[in-house]
Amino acid sequence: GAGVSQTPSNKVTEKGKYVELRCDPISGHTALYWYRQSLGQGPEFLIYFQGTGAADDSGLPNDRFFAVRPEGSVSTLKIQRTERGDSAVYLCASSSDEGNTEAFFGQGTRLTVV
Amino acid sequence: AQSVTQPDIHITVSEGASLELRCNYSYGATPYLFWYVQSPGQGLQLLLKYFSGDTLVQGIKGFEAEFKRSQSSFNLRKPSVHWSDAAEYFCAVGARGAQKLVFGQGTRLTINP
């Protein structure tokens, strides 16, 4: 596609529920990143995929968070047993494999846990 | 560990005035440095980046930034701001290109008419 697409743009869920956030990267980009941006803060790294595999998941806060990219394109961030502290904007970005010199960001999914 | 400090949380300038946004980083090796802009409800857009070479880099929308290794700084500048520049600006550092960026807290820019 023309840019990184994230769906849904907004998600409201109840505490304890499971949510999935989807990211469609730019066509042909092999690297994909997830970040979380809390109110008034800069984005914080969560996980990085190179192809289908998670090259670095050191930013995932705990085992309630999981992400997959089974075919090396679309990625899904999954959050189990959501907590109010999970409320944030979840940003996805992608970059080409050529030195990863620029990450292109989507508009994000605003997650609100009530 | 890498870190980025943007000392100014909020800056207000008049339209047509010059602008400088400060960024200080902490990193043990040669950093990859970036400035991103985020308008309300929008994703992050890359303004410019520094990997190596000339320490003064030009970006989009008339922005430039200067890498000063001795001061661990990468300040963003624009000679004359426009009302459309009002946004949140983020400085970021990466260990290897755009992988695993560490962002600063951001500086919110307000433009007075």
Side-chain angles (χ1 to χ4, degrees):
Chain A
V4 178
S5 175
Q6 292 188 246
T7 54
S9 55
N10 281 283
K11 176 71 176 178
V12 180
T13 190
E14 293 181 347
K15 178 176 178 292
K17 297 290 187 182
Y18 167 85
V19 296
E20 290 189 350
L21 312 180
R22 177 188 169 102
C23 173
D24 276 279
I26 293 172
S27 179
H29 280 191
T30 58
L32 184 145
Y33 317 85
W34 284 99
Y35 288 81
R36 179 169 69 174
Q37 186 174 21
S38 301
L39 192 63
Q41 302 295 317
E44 294 179 297
F45 170 81
L46 294 177
I47 186 169
Y48 155 54
F49 286 91
Q50 184 61 47
T52 60
D56 186 339
D57 64 357
S58 60
L60 295 177
N62 51 59
D63 60 6
R64 295 187 298 106
F65 288 75
F66 190 71
V68 296
R69 196 185 184 199
E71 297 178 356
S73 178
V74 171
S75 176
T76 304
L77 179 66
K78 308 180 181 194
I79 309 174
Q80 299 177 323
R81 305 183 304 280
T82 52
E83 300 176 357
R84 292 197 178 86
D86 298 334
S87 297
V89 175
Y90 289 81
L91 296 168
C92 178
S94 69
S95 65
S96 70
D97 194 33
E98 299 166 3
N100 290 314
T101 60
E102 179 174 351
F104 296 85
F105 282 81
Q107 293 190 349
T109 294
R110 180 176 298 279
L111 175 67
T112 303
V113 182
V114 298
Chain B
Q2 303 166 58
S3 66
V4 175
T5 301
Q6 293 181 246
D8 304 305
I9 295 174
H10 184 205
I11 282 183
T12 299
V13 299
S14 298
E15 189 167 17
S18 63
L19 171 71
E20 183 170 30
L21 301 182
R22 296 183 291 165
C23 172
N24 293 96
Y25 67 90
S26 174
Y27 184 62
T30 300
Y32 294 82
L33 294 160
F34 305 80
W35 274 100
Y36 282 86
V37 60
Q38 186 177 42
S39 298
Q42 302 297 311
L44 293 160
Q45 181 183 23
L46 181 68
L47 287 175
L48 46 78
K49 60 193 177 189
Y50 172 78
F51 285 4
S52 64
D54 192 347
T55 57
L56 184 63
V57 293
Q58 302 297 320
I60 63 171
K61 304 185 180 186
F63 286 92
E64 66 177 28
E66 186 171 13
F67 171 59
K68 293 185 177 180
R69 184 187 300 275
S70 61
Q71 299 177 20
S72 297
S73 69
F74 188 57
N75 294 349
L76 182 71
R77 301 193 294 251
K78 187 170 185 178
S80 176
V81 298
H82 185 261
W83 64 267
S84 60
D85 293 325
E88 189 93 19
Y89 291 80
F90 292 95
C91 181
V93 63
R96 183 181 171 206
Q99 294 178 23
K100 196 175 180 180
L101 295 176
V102 174
F103 285 84
Q105 190 174 8
T107 297
R108 183 161 60 95
L109 176 65
T110 299
I111 308 294
N112 281 338

